[in-house]
Amino acid sequence: MSDLLQRARRVGAEVAARHASAVDADARFPRESFAALKAEKLLGVMVPAEFGGAGASIPEILSLCHALGQHCASTAMIYAMHQIQVACIVRHGQQSPWHRQLLQRLAGEQLLLASATSEAGVGGDVRSSVCAVEVEGQRLKVSKNATVISYGADADGILVTARRTPDSPASDQVIVAVLKGDYRLEQTSSWDTLGMRGTCSNGYWLHAAGDVAQILPLPYADISAQTMLPTSHLTWSSLWLGIATDAVARARTFVRAEARKKPGSTPPGALRLAESMNLLQHMKSNVVAAARQYEAALGSAERLTALSFAVAMNNLKIGTSQMAVQVVNHALLICGISGYRNDSEFSVGRHLRDAHSAALMVSNDRILANTANLLLVLKDDPGLFP
Amino acid sequence: MTTVADMIRDIFREGSILPVDIATLSDSADLYTAGLTSHATVNLMLSLEEKFDVEFPDRLLRRRTFESIDAIKAAVGELLDQKAAA
Ligand SMILES: Cc1cc2nc3c(=O)[nH]c(=O)nc-3n(C[C@H](O)[C@H](O)[C@H](O)COP(=O)(O)OP(=O)(O)OC[C@H]3O[C@@H](n4cnc5c(N)ncnc54)[C@H](O)[C@@H]3O)c2cc1C
């Protein structure tokens, strides 16, 4: 096991797990988990070694999300969203002196980055913006009515999407990295939700000012296709798999305890447990195959912006988001009332509530509609192995 | 004589592919900056396949293929050459 994974498992088991119920009940930021993740220097792990980071690979990052997801889904989701932002800077910021310095700070100070892509007026269509970057000389200004900025109040910086100029069409977007001190947040909505309560995904009016150098050089369309979309679907899927894995672990303990009470007879839940393992294996295979596909395409803008790649990453998200709920539901049926209780060691209520966010976090219907459109021109791949 | 570029421009005009008039853009202008969305790119591809009686292989189904009239012209030209040689 890698040293990084060992550290993440320790944070998960010793810190995140202990506070997960309180984080969920109070819908509060998992501050203990993030203090521990910072102390273990796990926030800046993806930053390349030349900037002071650990240069962690995508599979390593996914393993960390998966490990955290087994203990506190909110912690894991915040960790995943942060890594998605870091990935954008690592992949697309190295040519820019401002972003190179940010990379050093991400590793050195273990800064936490949030994301403001969703916006009032465009629904969940993150490939359109209403707000625009206004430039005067070397200074920029942007104000965004962001419907959801997870952990906005606890972040050290935010990656904001906006139209390139006030004259640009909605789809011609850039990403601006703004750091604490560059922006002011006016809260417009609170986050009292079914699950993922610790992500504290309030709505805000974000008012930011900064230097034009803070704009990532590549258009957002490319950053989205090459990095943000694949890393989102990969990291999210990994932590959803983590949620499902822990629910199955609880169900397995339940079935074993039953089996021990009546040796010689297979408990009724055993069959459904076998079924859950089958689904879990599907989920895992999906994540691993998609991660390999991403790694193989890394470094090639051509392969990363191919429509077939987008479809594969969309399918990963659709599949794992649905299966996570199915698996947790199986675990609930296996554990019965013990799983339904909030005060039992077999409780999977929080797992189920957290897992239900998966289909909404970029609506599956929206993603399917996008895939449906691409399939009008995409050709069938008759091969088994790529 | 109608050139390939003219025929491509016709598609933009007839299909309302862009939020702006294609006549205001040069052959080398960045179409994404002009508002080309990925959704509209699919409609564009379908119209190109219909008009030129070609099929875009997956290798050409990427963003850069459609970034300008020039880029589209190059891709269509390549497909027409292949068709002629076949
Ligand atoms: C836990 C969590 C954390 C989040 N954190 C952040 C964050 O930090 N930053 C951020 O920017 N965003 C964040 N989001 C927002 C998220 O990424 C989506 O943008 C948001 O969930 C979509 O909101 P919506 O369901 O209202 O909108 P929509 O996507 O508009 O969907 C609303 C409904 O309309 C339907 N619909 C709408 N348009 C279409 C279409 N074209 N095709 C098919 N169906 C359609 C959908 O099926 C759905 O039922 C977060 C979401 C969650 C759940």
Side-chain angles (χ1 to χ4, degrees):
Chain A
M1 198 196 320
S2 84
D3 166 55
L4 293 180
L5 184 53
Q6 250 169 27
R7 275 144 63 193
R9 287 201 173 154
R10 197 158 59 225
V11 172
E14 292 172 14
V15 186
R18 181 146 20 109
H19 300 282
S21 291
V23 163
D24 176 54
D26 304 339
R28 68 161 176 85
F29 181 71
R31 51 178 185 272
E32 299 87 354
S33 301
F34 279 85
L37 287 166
K38 277 187 190 191
E40 290 282 359
K41 295 217 170 298
L42 287 170
L43 291 187
V45 286
M46 213 194 302
V47 174
E50 57 180 302
F51 300 101
S57 66
I58 273 291
E60 281 179 305
I61 297 295
L62 301 185
S63 299
L64 303 190
C65 295
H66 178 235
L68 294 172
Q70 292 173 49
H71 300 287
C72 171
S74 288
T75 297
M77 182 49 88
I78 297 171
Y79 187 75
M81 287 194 273
H82 163 74
Q83 296 302 350
I84 296 160
Q85 313 314 308
V86 176
C88 292
I89 310 284
V90 170
R91 301 276 163 227
H92 309 291
Q94 292 193 35
Q95 285 78 32
S96 136
W98 193 91
H99 295 94
R100 277 207 299 277
Q101 207 198 347
L102 175 57
L103 285 172
Q104 275 166 355
R105 293 191 60 192
L106 285 169
E109 301 166 41
Q110 298 289 302
L111 300 182
L112 179 65
L113 295 183
S115 152
T117 50
S118 309
E119 184 177 19
V122 291
D125 177 14
V126 294
R127 288 300 327 285
S128 294
S129 286
V130 176
C131 69
V133 179
E134 290 173 61
V135 174
E136 228 185 273
Q138 275 305 106
R139 299 292 296 168
L140 68 78
K141 266 194 330 199
V142 61
S143 284
K144 180 164 189 164
N145 187 357
T147 44
V148 189
I149 306 181
S150 297
Y151 55 99
D154 292 277
D156 302 302
I158 304 177
L159 262 55
V160 188
T161 51
R163 285 181 297 133
R164 179 187 307 281
T165 70
D167 299 323
S168 303
S171 61
D172 184 23
Q173 300 160 287
V174 290
I175 295 192
V176 190
V178 290
L179 300 178
K180 227 176 192 151
D182 294 337
Y183 59 85
R184 188 164 56 79
L185 294 175
E186 263 171 52
Q187 192 175 331
T188 52
S189 62
S190 51
W191 185 253
D192 181 5
T193 49
L194 185 65
M196 287 293 181
R197 295 170 56 82
T199 61
C200 301
S201 307
N202 303 331
Y204 298 96
W205 256 108
L206 172 133
H207 303 286
D211 193 282
V212 288
Q214 290 170 243
I215 303 172
L216 274 171
L218 205 63
Y220 175 58
D222 289 280
I223 296 177
S224 168
Q226 296 184 34
T227 304
M228 198 179 260
L229 190 125
T231 53
S232 296
H233 292 180
L234 284 163
T235 54
W236 296 349
S237 295
S238 302
L239 77 94
W240 297 333
L241 176 61
I243 297 173
T245 301
D246 188 55
V248 170
R250 290 176 189 221
R252 188 192 290 116
T253 311
F254 183 87
V255 170
R256 284 197 185 150
E258 295 281 292
R260 285 196 198 109
K261 277 185 223 152
K262 290 186 207 131
S265 68
T266 308
L271 201 70
R272 184 145 277 139
L273 183 63
E275 231 177 351
S276 314
M277 288 306 293
N278 177 293
L279 282 168
L280 211 54
Q281 184 175 329
H282 271 300
M283 279 183 86
K284 209 173 201 170
S285 307
N286 270 350
V287 174
V288 171
R292 296 240 162 90
Q293 200 171 347
Y294 177 59
E295 276 211 299
L298 260 186
S300 159
E302 286 283 281
R303 290 175 71 174
L304 291 169
T305 58
L307 297 189
S308 53
F309 181 74
V311 169
M313 294 301 131
N314 280 353
N315 281 337
L316 167 70
K317 194 269 177 181
I318 299 281
T320 51
S321 62
Q322 289 174 345
M323 279 189 272
V325 174
Q326 272 182 312
V327 173
V328 180
N329 203 42
H330 273 33
L332 176 63
L333 291 174
I334 293 165
C335 300
I337 211 74
S338 301
Y340 197 63
R341 299 181 68 99
N342 286 326
D343 58 358
S344 111
E345 62 178 307
F346 302 111
S347 169
V348 290
R350 176 163 47 83
H351 300 68
L352 192 59
R353 288 184 290 105
D354 288 338
H356 270 297
S357 71
L360 317 182
M361 198 162 180
V362 183
S363 157
N364 274 3
D365 284 354
R366 198 180 272 284
I367 295 178
L368 274 176
N370 176 258
T371 303
N373 186 243
L374 299 181
L375 290 181
L376 295 178
V377 289
L378 200 65
K379 310 301 173 291
D380 284 335
D381 177 2
L384 178 58
F385 293 98
Chain B
M1 195 189 109
T2 15
T3 62
V4 168
D6 292 334
M7 290 167 80
I8 295 170
R9 283 174 175 276
D10 285 344
I11 291 176
F12 274 91
R13 217 176 0 256
E14 290 155 12
S16 308
I17 307 279
L18 285 180
V20 296
D21 183 358
I22 190 73
T24 64
L25 301 173
S26 73
D27 281 1
S28 61
D30 185 330
L31 297 174
Y32 292 108
T33 309
L36 183 61
T37 64
S38 60
H39 194 274
T41 307
V42 168
N43 291 333
L44 170 62
M45 256 182 260
L46 289 169
S47 304
L48 289 165
E49 292 190 338
E50 175 74 13
K51 190 157 214 143
F52 294 100
D53 189 25
V54 291
E55 201 166 279
F56 281 86
D58 281 341
R59 157 180 77 75
L60 287 175
L61 298 186
R62 35 191 51 125
R63 220 177 129 69
R64 289 292 155 237
T65 306
F66 305 93
E67 67 185 351
S68 64
I69 300 277
D70 279 337
I72 299 169
K73 210 168 65 183
V76 169
E78 184 189 327
L79 295 176
L80 288 175
D81 285 349
Q82 275 172 14
K83 204 168 73 165

